[in-house]
Structure formats: structure tokens, C-alpha cells
Amino acid sequence: MLQHGQVVAAFGRHFDVETAEGIVSCVTRGKKGGIACGDRLQIEMTGTSQGVIKSIDPRSSLLFRSDEFKEKTIAANVTQIIVVVAAEPAFYEDLVSRCLIAAEAASLKIVIVLNKCDLEQATQAALKKLKLYCDLGYPLVTLSARQDISPLRPYLQGETSVLVGQSGMGKSSIINALLPAAQAHTREISQALNSGKHTTTHARLYHLDDDSHIIDSPGLQEFGLSHVNEMDIAHAFVEFRPYLGHCRFSNCRHLVEPGCAVLEATMAGEIDRRRLGTFHKLVR
């Protein structure tokens, strides 16, 4: 007899599946792959607390990254992506842009969290870098997770959120603050490399309440977007949207074409040149 459950932790090809009876350690058989934390599925029990995944339920959303060789699933059935950056160590702005594009392409809500705001001087520098995204309408939450997590809580209510960001930004500290019993491991920042050490090695889903859930994902240093086509990348730049379809040529790539509405808007100061540069880097 099959049981229904949800993946609450993903370890490569092994998964913790939460069912009405409790947590079941499951594996896949055959060529089933691409299972993500948050997936709802059917399992067949093979022991008292062991099972085999038989099928995956239809997903409402799937967040993943890809390069030319492979895809890496991050989370399924989420409604919101929370991009976590920190005042210190320095964050990669290119990674933030790529996370936003992936979220826009998957039609997910977006919140940017600037953590470690108790570091005043570093916070001001980080806010200058993030002003561009605030001006585009993306919500920005500033906090220090180890001191006060309350600014983030209203954004989590009624959502299934996934935390993404590079290592060392404090995603596990956010989980600890929201759910002290989770005891997510944290480590000190590697000062020598000015980057965080990986503390989360697998994705895990936590229940905040009956209607609100959050997935902590491993830190990443890059976010491949090979699965997003050029047209969808352009649409993922929210400030491009009023100009798309208004270029002289219907197949305009917004690179150097004459009569390009996006390029003209950039020249007029309606689109930030940094964002246009990011777009060009992606499509080239």
C-alpha cells in the first residue's frame, strides 16, 4: 500500500520523507532523479522506517540551477525565494542578480534579506550595492539574525520560502533564530578567504506553523541559468518589461541593434547600465 508524504530533507539519492506516520528514510529506484526538498510524493514502505519513492506529485513550482552539463534542483512547491546576503563577508552581486532571474523565471515571490546589520560600516556599503534592487521594487529586509529576527517574520507568514545565497551569509543563523530547536550548525567566517565555510550540506524543510514553511539550502557560489532561454531572461529583468515588444525588429536581442527600445531606455537613464551589462553578460 502506498503512502503519501513530503520530502523534508534531501541527501543526494537519499531522502527523509514526512508522512502521517512519521519520518521515513527513502531511496529511489531506476532512473528517477531530480527529486527536491519540498516534493510531495508516493512511497512504498520496505521496512518500519524505510521506503522507496514510487512517484512524484505534480509540482506548483520548481527552483533549480543549471549549467551546460547538469541541473541541480534546489526546492519544489515553494512560493517565495529569500535571497540572503550579509554586510560581511562581501557578497557577489552577480549571484544576487542570477537568483532574482531564476525566481522571476519560476514566477516566485522575492525578498532580499541583508543580514549582520549590527556591523554598521559594512552595512552602509552593502545598502549602496542593494539600492538598485530596492529601486526596482524588490522588498529588502535588514536585520541581524543573532539579535532580532522579527523584521523577517511578516514576510514568511502563509508562504513556503526557500533561503538561497552564498556561504557565510547567515542562512543557518536565520533558521536558528526562527526555530531554536532546529539547532542548525553555524561556523565562524573564514577571514582568510573573506567567504563563509559551507555549514548546510543538504536542503531541509522546517514547519514554522501550519501555513508557513521554510527550506534552508546549501550555500552556493554560482547560479547557472542555462535552463532559462534568452526571451525569458529579458522578461526576468522587470525594468525591461515596458520596452519589450517595442523594438524596431521583432527578433531584437537588445545588444547593439538599431531602434532597440531597451538600449534607448538605458541611454535615457530609465534602465541602469549595470543591469543592462548583467543582461548582456548572460545572453552572450
Short mmCIF file of all heavy atoms in Angstrom, two decimals, residues 132 239-240 266 269-277:
data_model
loop_
_atom_site.label_atom_id
_atom_site.label_comp_id
_atom_site.label_asym_id
_atom_site.label_seq_id
_atom_site.Cartn_x
_atom_site.Cartn_y
_atom_site.Cartn_z
N LEU A 132 19.93 49.51 -5.93
CA LEU A 132 19.43 49.25 -7.29
C LEU A 132 18.23 48.33 -7.26
O LEU A 132 17.23 48.56 -7.96
CB LEU A 132 20.56 48.65 -8.13
CG LEU A 132 20.20 48.10 -9.51
CD1 LEU A 132 19.60 49.19 -10.39
CD2 LEU A 132 21.43 47.50 -10.19
N GLU A 239 12.58 45.81 -15.17
CA GLU A 239 12.60 47.14 -15.75
C GLU A 239 12.62 47.11 -17.27
O GLU A 239 12.37 48.14 -17.91
CB GLU A 239 13.80 47.94 -15.21
CG GLU A 239 15.16 47.42 -15.66
CD GLU A 239 15.74 46.36 -14.75
OE1 GLU A 239 15.00 45.43 -14.36
OE2 GLU A 239 16.95 46.45 -14.46
N PHE A 240 12.91 45.94 -17.87
CA PHE A 240 12.86 45.82 -19.33
C PHE A 240 11.43 45.70 -19.85
O PHE A 240 11.15 46.02 -21.00
CB PHE A 240 13.63 44.57 -19.79
CG PHE A 240 15.13 44.64 -19.69
CD1 PHE A 240 15.76 45.64 -18.95
CD2 PHE A 240 15.92 43.71 -20.34
CE1 PHE A 240 17.15 45.70 -18.85
CE2 PHE A 240 17.31 43.76 -20.25
CZ PHE A 240 17.92 44.74 -19.50
N THR A 266 17.95 52.73 -21.75
CA THR A 266 19.19 52.80 -20.97
C THR A 266 19.89 54.12 -21.21
O THR A 266 20.36 54.78 -20.26
CB THR A 266 20.11 51.62 -21.32
OG1 THR A 266 19.42 50.38 -21.14
CG2 THR A 266 21.34 51.62 -20.42
N GLY A 269 18.45 56.84 -19.29
CA GLY A 269 18.54 56.74 -17.84
C GLY A 269 17.38 56.01 -17.20
O GLY A 269 17.26 55.99 -15.96
N GLU A 270 16.51 55.38 -18.00
CA GLU A 270 15.37 54.64 -17.45
C GLU A 270 15.78 53.24 -16.97
O GLU A 270 15.07 52.64 -16.16
CB GLU A 270 14.28 54.52 -18.52
CG GLU A 270 13.71 55.85 -19.00
CD GLU A 270 13.03 56.61 -17.88
OE1 GLU A 270 12.36 55.97 -17.04
OE2 GLU A 270 13.18 57.86 -17.83
N ILE A 271 16.87 52.73 -17.50
CA ILE A 271 17.38 51.42 -17.11
C ILE A 271 18.82 51.61 -16.67
O ILE A 271 19.61 52.30 -17.33
CB ILE A 271 17.32 50.41 -18.28
CG1 ILE A 271 15.85 50.09 -18.61
CG2 ILE A 271 18.08 49.12 -17.95
CD1 ILE A 271 15.69 49.21 -19.85
N ASP A 272 19.18 51.02 -15.53
CA ASP A 272 20.53 51.15 -15.01
C ASP A 272 21.52 50.40 -15.91
O ASP A 272 21.28 49.27 -16.32
CB ASP A 272 20.59 50.58 -13.58
CG ASP A 272 21.89 50.92 -12.89
OD1 ASP A 272 22.90 50.24 -13.18
OD2 ASP A 272 21.89 51.83 -12.05
N ARG A 273 22.64 51.05 -16.21
CA ARG A 273 23.63 50.44 -17.10
C ARG A 273 24.22 49.15 -16.52
O ARG A 273 24.61 48.26 -17.27
CB ARG A 273 24.76 51.43 -17.40
CG ARG A 273 24.31 52.60 -18.28
CD ARG A 273 25.46 53.56 -18.55
NE ARG A 273 25.02 54.68 -19.38
CZ ARG A 273 25.00 54.67 -20.71
NH1 ARG A 273 25.41 53.58 -21.35
NH2 ARG A 273 24.59 55.72 -21.40
N ARG A 274 24.28 49.07 -15.19
CA ARG A 274 24.79 47.83 -14.58
C ARG A 274 23.88 46.66 -14.91
O ARG A 274 24.35 45.54 -15.18
CB ARG A 274 24.88 47.98 -13.06
CG ARG A 274 26.12 48.70 -12.56
CD ARG A 274 26.22 48.57 -11.05
NE ARG A 274 25.11 49.23 -10.36
CZ ARG A 274 24.75 48.98 -9.11
NH1 ARG A 274 25.37 48.05 -8.41
NH2 ARG A 274 23.75 49.64 -8.56
N ARG A 275 22.59 46.91 -14.88
CA ARG A 275 21.63 45.84 -15.17
C ARG A 275 21.70 45.44 -16.64
O ARG A 275 21.62 44.25 -16.98
CB ARG A 275 20.22 46.30 -14.80
CG ARG A 275 20.00 46.41 -13.31
CD ARG A 275 19.70 45.08 -12.69
NE ARG A 275 18.30 44.69 -12.95
CZ ARG A 275 17.78 43.51 -12.60
NH1 ARG A 275 18.51 42.61 -12.00
NH2 ARG A 275 16.51 43.25 -12.88
N LEU A 276 21.83 46.41 -17.52
CA LEU A 276 21.98 46.07 -18.94
C LEU A 276 23.26 45.26 -19.15
O LEU A 276 23.27 44.30 -19.91
CB LEU A 276 22.02 47.34 -19.79
CG LEU A 276 22.13 47.10 -21.30
CD1 LEU A 276 20.87 46.43 -21.84
CD2 LEU A 276 22.41 48.40 -22.04
N GLY A 277 24.33 45.63 -18.45
CA GLY A 277 25.58 44.88 -18.55
C GLY A 277 25.42 43.45 -18.06
O GLY A 277 25.97 42.51 -18.65
#
